[in-house]
Amino acid sequence: MIGIGGGGIPAKDKDGKSIDISRYPGNCVWLNVYDLGLSSTMQTTNTVSKMFGAGLYHAGVEVFGVEWAYGYIDSGTGVHKCKPRAAEGHTYRST
C-alpha cells in the first residue's frame, strides 16, 4: 500500500508524487505539512508564496503511525495527536 500509514491518506512529496512509506522502518519520523486552514484561497496563496520561500503552514510530526502537533485545543498544553495527514482544520500538502 503506497504511503497510507495510519491515516488512510496517501503520503506525497513536495511535487505531489506518492511516497511509499511502507518501504521504510516503522520507527522513521515524518514531517507532514499542511496549508493553514481549509480554504482554496489559502492553498492558492501558499502555492504562489512557495515560489518565494514563504507561506502559512501547519506541521505535524508522525512517528509509529501517530501524528503529533501543536495548536489550539480546548484544554491541555496544545500538544495533540491525530491520524497521519488528517489534521483537523488544515489541508494536507506534503510529507
Side-chain angles (χ1 to χ4, degrees):
M1 203 177 292
I2 294 180
I4 297 296
I9 298 170
K12 58 186 177 181
D13 68 14
K14 64 181 180 68
D15 297 318
K17 296 179 184 174
S18 292
I19 299 172
D20 186 357
I21 63 173
S22 67
R23 295 179 55 199
Y24 298 88
N27 63 348
C28 281
V29 177
W30 301 91
L31 180 67
N32 296 320
V33 179
Y34 300 81
D35 291 313
L36 197 60
L38 299 172
S39 75
S40 61
T41 303
M42 184 57 72
Q43 292 172 40
T44 302
T45 299
N46 281 345
T47 298
V48 173
S49 298
K50 184 178 164 187
M51 292 184 285
F52 304 103
L56 298 171
Y57 301 100
H58 170 78
V61 176
E62 178 184 346
V63 63
F64 293 112
V66 177
E67 182 171 313
W68 295 89
Y70 178 81
Y72 176 79
I73 54 175
D74 290 333
S75 64
T77 63
V79 176
H80 57 278
K81 64 181 179 176
C82 68
K83 291 181 181 179
R85 297 170 296 284
E88 186 176 336
H90 304 294
T91 306
Y92 172 69
R93 177 171 278 267
S94 65
T95 297

